[in-house]
């Protein structure tokens, strides 16, 4: 796996990788992580992948982190952990 870029964002760490014919977009916030895979056949370059990271996509991803945290906490609560 080859790291192509760290993409600055105030609410999440975003890293772009190239691996096995795919671009991987990895978003991290605290202990949570989201990874999106984009086939190299679907875009012409990593610049196209960066274009996907528009404000609408990133707002949804950050909101998803909140839901992920809520889901994990609910599982802990259900099991008394």
């Amino acid at each position: 796996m080859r790291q192509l870029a760290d993409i600055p964002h105030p609410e999440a760490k975003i890293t772009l990788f190239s691996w096995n014919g795919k671009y991987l977009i990895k978003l991290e916030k605290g202990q949570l992580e989201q990874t999106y895979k984009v086939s190299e056949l679907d875009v012409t370059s990593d610049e196209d992948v960066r274009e996907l990271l528009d404000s609408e996509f990133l707002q949804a991803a950050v909101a998803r982190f909140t839901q992920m945290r809520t889901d994990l906490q609910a599982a802990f609560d259900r099991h008394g952990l």
Side-chain angles (χ1 to χ4, degrees):
M1 186 175 328
R2 185 169 58 109
Q3 182 174 336
L4 301 176
D6 285 318
I7 300 168
H9 190 273
E11 296 186 66
K13 179 181 178 191
I14 304 172
T15 311
L16 180 60
F17 296 96
S18 176
W19 179 71
N20 202 25
K22 294 178 178 61
Y23 290 104
L24 279 68
I25 304 164
K26 181 177 176 183
L27 293 92
E28 299 174 79
K29 186 169 182 172
Q31 66 187 23
L32 302 172
E33 178 179 304
Q34 299 175 50
T35 302
Y36 298 86
K37 297 178 184 177
V38 177
S39 173
E40 289 179 353
L41 300 174
D42 292 338
V43 294
T44 58
S45 70
D46 61 298
E47 288 301 317
D48 287 349
V49 177
R50 291 172 191 247
E51 284 186 42
L52 296 174
L53 303 177
D54 60 14
S55 63
E56 187 174 342
F57 177 86
L58 292 174
Q59 285 175 342
V62 168
R64 195 167 294 109
F65 278 124
T66 302
Q67 187 59 51
M68 290 169 69
R69 188 172 11 274
T70 299
D71 294 344
L72 182 59
Q73 185 60 54
F76 271 92
D77 293 346
R78 282 192 306 277
H79 298 283
L81 301 172

